[in-house]
Amino acid sequence: MFTGTVRRLFWVSMGATAGVLVFRKVTATAKELTPAGIADRAAVSGGGLLDSVKEFFEDVRERAHDREEELNVALGIDVPPTTDRDPEGDGFSKKARAI
């Protein structure tokens, strides 16, 4: 007699637990499908998309800079322009005056 009651109590508690879990899942899904839930989800994914695009363009700039340095070395123009001015201050470097 006692074992039948325990068995029924076990199955009732399992059913109640399953019912609560299903109810919570359905409620969460219904909340996501409301206009506010859709807007929240779009805002989160939109922010992630914006960050991804920014990272992509930063990578492109970095690779372009690296490639520009490679081309400068290959063409023999890897020497940066000089900034030392002549004492007269007319804006021409010593190298430019020698040419």
Side-chain angles (χ1 to χ4, degrees), residues 61-96:
R61 279 190 213 110
E62 182 180 326
R63 300 294 183 256
H65 181 69
D66 292 345
R67 182 64 178 147
E68 182 179 2
E69 287 180 0
E70 290 175 8
L71 291 173
N72 287 342
V73 169
L75 295 174
I77 54 174
D78 57 338
V79 179
T82 59
T83 58
D84 52 337
R85 307 272 179 196
D86 68 321
E88 298 169 8
D90 61 357
F92 295 104
S93 69
K94 293 178 184 178
K95 279 188 172 181

Side-chain angles (χ1 to χ4, degrees), residues 5-92:
T5 306
V6 172
R7 187 176 297 147
R8 277 187 238 135
L9 183 61
F10 171 76
W11 286 112
V12 166
S13 63
M14 288 296 287
T17 303
V20 168
L21 292 176
V22 168
F23 179 76
R24 289 183 65 174
K25 183 66 175 174
V26 168
T27 303
T29 303
K31 184 179 178 187
E32 287 179 6
L33 296 177
T34 63
I38 292 172
D40 290 341
R41 192 170 28 172
V44 169
S45 65
L49 178 64
L50 183 62
D51 290 339
S52 297
V53 170
K54 284 181 181 178
E55 286 180 21
F56 171 75
F57 281 115
E58 288 173 4
D59 289 344
V60 168
R61 279 190 213 110
E62 182 180 326
R63 300 294 183 256
H65 181 69
D66 292 345
R67 182 64 178 147
E68 182 179 2
E69 287 180 0
E70 290 175 8
L71 291 173
N72 287 342
V73 169
L75 295 174
I77 54 174
D78 57 338
V79 179
T82 59
T83 58
D84 52 337
R85 307 272 179 196
D86 68 321
E88 298 169 8
D90 61 357
F92 295 104

